[in-house]
């Protein structure tokens, strides 16, 4: 059971937009920055979004992040088959712990 | 460009100590804005943070693993290490070394490729 709650899977057609939610509490998302990671099959996770809505250099602006209260959302526009991956949210928890969501598998139909 | 590379045994016996090292290239482990850490991922499961360490020696550990974990830094070799003692099959996982950047050092900007460690007799 993960501290942060994500949908197990989402899907959309190429070119469409998809959003992935991440729900937490005041002890984690509500008072800390949220990050998002993309894990392509057989590879290490890669940082997509940090500080709720910032993109590291090299991450296309098709990827966006937002936070409201105790929830965060990752948005991906112009879906490509290469976006098929597992996506994880993460943040700090007041229990002195880095916590992650259980991951969301994105399928591009 | 900063790169991280894990190294260590791929097979550890139950009750023994799992020891991994992460070599940092393309940057200094003595960076004041960097925290160096470990995250693991059990087969088919999600991510679990193990702990972070600053080159100054300041450490943060996952409370659920704190009693078994030790992180250390070797600035002369530009490396940091993980020791996890009294391992069981539940510690079988891919172990990633990572880098976080202050102020939110729990956002991991760099990841190693990961190394699979199997706990088995």
């Amino acid at each position: 059971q993960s501290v942060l709650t994500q949908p197990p899977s989402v899907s959309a057609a190429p070119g469409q937009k998809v959003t992935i939610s991440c729900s937490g509490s005041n002890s984690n998302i509500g008072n800390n920055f949220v990050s998002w990671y993309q894990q392509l099959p057989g590879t290490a996770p890669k940082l997509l979004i940090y500080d709720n809505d910032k993109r590291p250099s090299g991450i296309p602006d098709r990827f966006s992040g937002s936070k409201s209260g105790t929830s965060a959302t990752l948005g991906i526009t112009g879906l490509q088959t290469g976006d098929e991956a597992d996506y994880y949210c993460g943040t700090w928890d007041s229990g002195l712990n880095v916590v992650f969501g259980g991951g969301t598998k994105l399928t591009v139909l | 460009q900063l790169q991280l590379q894990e190294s260590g045994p791929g097979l550890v016996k139950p009750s023994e100590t799992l020891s991994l090292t992460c070599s940092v290239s393309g940057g200094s482990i003595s960076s004041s804005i960097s925290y160096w850490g470990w995250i693991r991922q059990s087969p088919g499961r999600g991510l679990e943070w193990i702990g972070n360490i600053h080159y100054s020696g300041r450490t943060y550990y996952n409370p659920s693993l704190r009693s078994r974990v030790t992180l250390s830094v070797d600035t002369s070799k530009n490396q940091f290490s993980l020791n996890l003692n009294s391992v069981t099959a539940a510690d079988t996982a891919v172990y990633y070394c990572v880098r976080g950047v202050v102020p939110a050092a729990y956002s991991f900007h760099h990841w190693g490729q990961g190394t699979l460690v199997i706990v088995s007799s």
Side-chain angles (χ1 to χ4, degrees):
Chain A
Q1 192 82 356
S2 300
V3 173
L4 305 180
T5 301
Q6 298 181 234
S9 63
V10 296
S11 62
Q16 297 299 305
K17 175 182 178 178
V18 71
T19 60
I20 298 173
S21 61
C22 176
S23 179
S25 68
N26 283 323
S27 70
N28 41 67
I29 291 179
N31 285 286
N32 295 288
F33 290 119
V34 176
S35 302
W36 289 92
Y37 304 89
Q38 176 193 60
Q39 186 174 31
L40 297 170
T43 70
K46 179 176 74 173
L47 182 67
L48 282 181
I49 298 290
Y50 68 101
D51 292 0
N52 301 332
D53 56 10
K54 296 182 174 61
R55 289 186 308 276
S57 61
I59 301 300
D61 58 7
R62 298 189 300 109
F63 296 91
S64 63
S66 63
K67 188 184 97 167
S68 178
T70 59
S71 293
T73 302
L74 173 70
I76 311 173
T77 60
L79 275 173
Q80 302 172 2
T81 55
D83 295 332
E84 285 203 337
D86 293 325
Y87 292 83
Y88 295 90
C89 58
T91 188
W92 179 256
D93 187 277
S94 62
L96 301 181
N97 200 2
V98 178
V99 292
F100 295 99
T104 298
K105 183 177 181 61
L106 169 64
T107 301
V108 182
L109 302 169
Chain B
Q1 182 178 356
L2 189 112
Q3 292 187 318
L4 307 176
Q5 178 66 58
E6 305 89 352
S7 61
L11 180 64
V12 181
K13 290 182 169 56
S15 80
E16 296 190 345
T17 297
L18 180 161
S19 295
L20 296 175
T21 295
C22 183
S23 298
V24 180
S25 59
S28 173
I29 202 167
S30 301
S31 160
S32 61
I33 67 169
S34 300
Y35 270 80
W36 310 96
W38 294 90
I39 290 170
R40 69 182 183 180
Q41 184 172 33
S42 303
R45 297 185 62 182
L47 302 169
E48 181 178 31
W49 175 71
I50 298 171
N52 281 7
I53 186 167
H54 189 259
Y55 85 96
S56 63
R58 185 170 189 176
T59 53
Y60 296 88
Y61 294 129
N62 184 325
S64 69
L65 298 170
R66 177 187 301 275
S67 63
R68 299 193 293 131
V69 173
T70 302
L71 301 188
S72 60
V73 168
D74 187 336
T75 55
S76 67
K77 295 182 178 179
N78 225 35
Q79 296 176 335
F80 61 103
S81 298
L82 162 69
N83 277 351
L84 178 67
N85 60 38
S86 305
V87 297
T88 69
D91 295 310
T92 293
V94 175
Y95 286 76
Y96 297 100
C97 58
V98 295
R99 171 185 178 249
V101 178
V102 297
Y106 48 88
S107 287
F108 302 108
H109 290 243
H110 296 91
W111 296 64
Q113 65 183 26
T115 186
L116 174 62
V117 179
I118 297 172
V119 178
S120 174
S121 56

